[in-house]
Amino acid sequence: MDLKSYIRTVPDFPKKGIMFRDVTTLLKDSKALNYAVDKLYEISKDKGITKVVGIESRGFILGAALALKLNAGFVPVRKPGKLPAQKLAETYELEYGSDTIEIHKDAIQNGDVVLMHDDLLATGGTMEAACKLVEKLGGKIVQISFLIELSFLNGRDKLTDYEIHSLIDYDSE
């Protein structure tokens, strides 16, 4: 199945010059959604994963589905002010400023075997920050997965210590 054909490209969103890769068109199609989850599961199933960490917000969708298939727990990484209990935060740089993400302090236990998941790898900053949070809590990251990778942005360069898989690659804008 050609998953790329299920991704809608929206020009000039959220700002002029950006070609936004919209995953909602894949998510609404049951066959494409199941195929994507199955493919991600196949590359993760033999890793002994105990937790899947999904990054807000689209990383929650396939991340939670993967956690169910892997018989693992699911941990959300969120933007500030969204998690109610004690949390750990990590700030990272963006092209146009900085941002912060948070995780509950009790979400990852020392020795948890972790799969990190998000919908899209662009510059890698968000995933790099999420990995730092998980490792500060004692988690062992065994794999990172993405539905889409914008390889022309070289996001993998920030994640060279990890095994990375993506299902759809855009090698140019």
Side-chain angles (χ1 to χ4, degrees):
M1 176 177 284
D2 177 19
L3 289 177
K4 197 180 226 181
S5 69
Y6 289 88
I7 303 297
R8 173 174 38 206
T9 299
V10 181
D12 299 323
F13 183 83
K15 64 181 187 176
K16 189 160 182 62
I18 302 291
M19 299 296 283
F20 185 79
R21 307 303 178 181
D22 181 14
V23 301
T24 63
T25 47
L26 181 144
L27 297 173
K28 74 179 183 177
D29 185 283
S30 63
K31 288 180 183 169
L33 175 60
N34 278 298
Y35 182 82
V37 171
D38 286 347
K39 293 299 275 184
L40 290 167
Y41 170 75
E42 285 301 315
I43 58 177
S44 305
K45 67 181 179 182
D46 297 322
K47 303 278 184 184
I49 294 164
T50 59
K51 298 278 175 52
V52 175
V53 173
I55 299 175
E56 185 163 328
S57 66
R58 291 177 304 270
F60 294 174
I61 300 165
L62 297 183
L66 281 169
L68 285 171
K69 285 190 77 113
L70 292 166
N71 197 30
F74 177 77
V75 175
V77 167
R78 305 220 50 196
K79 294 177 181 173
K82 302 289 185 179
L83 295 173
Q86 289 187 344
K87 51 204 157 284
L88 191 61
E90 186 73 29
T91 299
Y92 58 100
E93 296 304 312
L94 300 167
E95 298 170 47
Y96 48 85
S98 64
D99 207 347
T100 302
I101 54 174
E102 298 178 335
I103 191 170
H104 276 139
K105 283 186 175 181
D106 63 356
I108 300 292
Q109 306 305 312
N110 196 28
D112 268 332
V113 179
V114 180
L115 165 65
M116 306 293 291
H117 179 77
D118 203 359
D119 69 314
L120 185 134
L121 173 59
T123 61
T126 307
M127 183 57 76
E128 179 185 35
C131 289
K132 287 178 182 177
L133 289 172
V134 167
E135 289 172 339
K136 284 179 185 176
L137 294 174
K140 179 185 176 201
I141 299 168
V142 295
Q143 190 176 59
I144 301 174
S145 67
F146 300 95
L147 179 60
I148 299 170
E149 180 174 355
L150 306 179
S151 59
F152 63 93
L153 293 175
N154 302 312
R156 284 179 182 247
D157 292 352
K158 291 184 179 169
L159 306 168
T160 56
D161 292 340
Y162 307 103
E163 178 184 330
I164 302 170
H165 294 276
S166 55
L167 298 184
I168 302 167
D169 181 40
Y170 288 90
D171 56 9
S172 65
E173 194 159 353

